[in-house]
Amino acid sequence: MTQQDPSTTVSTRRNGPGPGPDLGPGPGPGVGPRPARIPRLHISAPLCLLAFLTVYLLAVCTPFGQRAENGLITGDGAGPAWIYDWSGAAYQSSALPPLEHTAMPTLLVGIAVIAGVALVRRRWWQGAAAVGVVVGTIASKELTRLLLPRPDLVDAEVSLTEASFPSGHVAVPAGLVLGATLIASPRLRPYVTAVGVLWLAVTAAAVQATYHHRPSDVLGSTLLACACYVLATRLLRTPDAPSADPHPRVLPAVALALAAAGALVAGARDDSVTQSLVFAAAAFLCAGLCWLTTAPGRRAHPGHGARASRGTRPVPS
């Protein structure tokens, strides 16, 4: 039987019950519990570069990869592609930016818009980082295309031996989308990313359906852009880095669903269902990588983090 201290009993009767069990230090005055961040896949610049190198080695430097991708470029050229009339390949047709001759004007206008937004918002470091993402994506694309050869391992036709890894047409929207995401205001950032991944998916599917690029080409450019974005966010100061911005819970699902629909339409061909699905899948993967790279960790309800971080100690009897 446990005996109670008489002095403690008297004090309790006069002043009421004493303090409860020690639950550890609580939040400071006027500060609520911090919400818990739900973990997500961590994407780093070395991981993106490793994936880029893996795609190159498997798709370009192996007979199996070359046969698989060369087998997708068969048929009647760009004509059967659904997006042919908007690809710029048709006679006197309007090219959907950044296809065909619109690639360079789209790049220059995009950089000017990013710089203008940075000037209006007075976000000098963010603006410099956003422009750096775009320039770094294009520069790394040009450099890797010069340094990484495409050996003819399967005795392919002359038209299939030209080096096309990574894709320049996809590097333009990938770099611009990630740069715009970096400079956009916190309220608009999720919606800018949603529109951007749709544009990227359509572009990546279109250049494949018109036989301008292979699936590995579009994936390589997207991975380079993601690596530049992650590196830029690491170099930024803490106040300038993108934070976990609130957005509707259905926005990721809606954005990726629209990207999938755009990839299916832009990658479709009349002469092959298999090719259409492969092109759409590669384009949707580009959009998913872009979204996953820019999307911050979703925060849980504040009460969940508070309950998880505070434990109880047994009360001695």
Side-chain angles (χ1 to χ4, degrees), residues 212-302:
H212 284 86
H213 285 285
R214 305 170 176 87
S216 61
D217 301 338
V218 300
L219 289 174
S221 295
T222 305
L223 288 169
L224 286 179
C226 292
C228 293
Y229 176 87
V230 175
L231 182 60
T233 57
R234 294 295 183 269
L235 296 178
L236 278 177
R237 297 177 181 178
T238 303
D240 293 332
S243 58
D245 308 315
H247 57 75
R249 293 183 178 181
V250 298
L251 182 60
V254 172
L256 294 178
L258 291 176
L264 284 172
V265 173
R269 291 178 58 91
D270 293 329
D271 54 353
S272 177
V273 176
T274 302
Q275 291 179 1
S276 302
L277 293 178
V278 172
F279 296 156
F284 177 73
L285 183 56
C286 294
L289 286 171
C290 184
W291 180 271
L292 189 62
T293 302
T294 58
R298 186 166 55 88
R299 293 182 180 271
H301 190 273

Side-chain angles (χ1 to χ4, degrees), residues 6-183:
S7 60
T8 304
T9 306
V10 174
S11 176
T12 302
R13 291 176 180 175
R14 291 180 179 178
N15 303 327
D22 184 12
L23 298 180
V31 179
R34 299 181 62 182
R37 184 185 293 273
I38 296 179
R40 67 178 179 89
L41 179 63
H42 177 70
I43 296 182
S44 61
L47 182 61
C48 293
L49 295 178
L50 179 61
F52 173 85
L53 183 60
T54 302
V55 170
Y56 169 73
L57 293 177
L58 292 179
V60 181
C61 297
T62 62
F64 170 80
Q66 287 194 6
R67 288 194 186 95
E69 291 200 313
N70 290 345
L72 296 172
I73 308 178
T74 58
D76 300 326
W82 289 12
I83 203 170
Y84 176 72
D85 293 336
W86 293 93
S87 65
Y91 179 69
Q92 291 184 346
S93 63
S94 300
L96 181 70
L99 302 179
E100 290 293 337
H101 60 277
T102 63
M104 185 56 66
T106 302
L107 176 63
L108 297 179
V109 171
I111 293 177
V113 171
I114 290 175
V117 173
L119 183 63
V120 171
R121 298 190 62 219
R122 296 183 180 180
R123 298 289 184 174
W124 319 120
W125 287 107
Q126 273 185 282
V131 174
V133 169
V134 182
V135 175
T137 301
I138 302 301
S140 60
K141 184 271 302 181
E142 293 291 343
L143 182 62
T144 52
R145 180 175 290 189
L146 291 175
L147 296 180
L148 300 179
R150 181 179 182 84
D152 184 12
L153 304 178
V154 294
D155 194 20
E157 299 179 3
V158 177
S159 59
L160 299 177
T161 57
E162 182 181 358
S164 62
F165 179 88
S167 168
H169 287 93
V170 175
V172 172
L176 289 177
V177 168
L178 294 175
T181 301
L182 195 60
I183 195 58

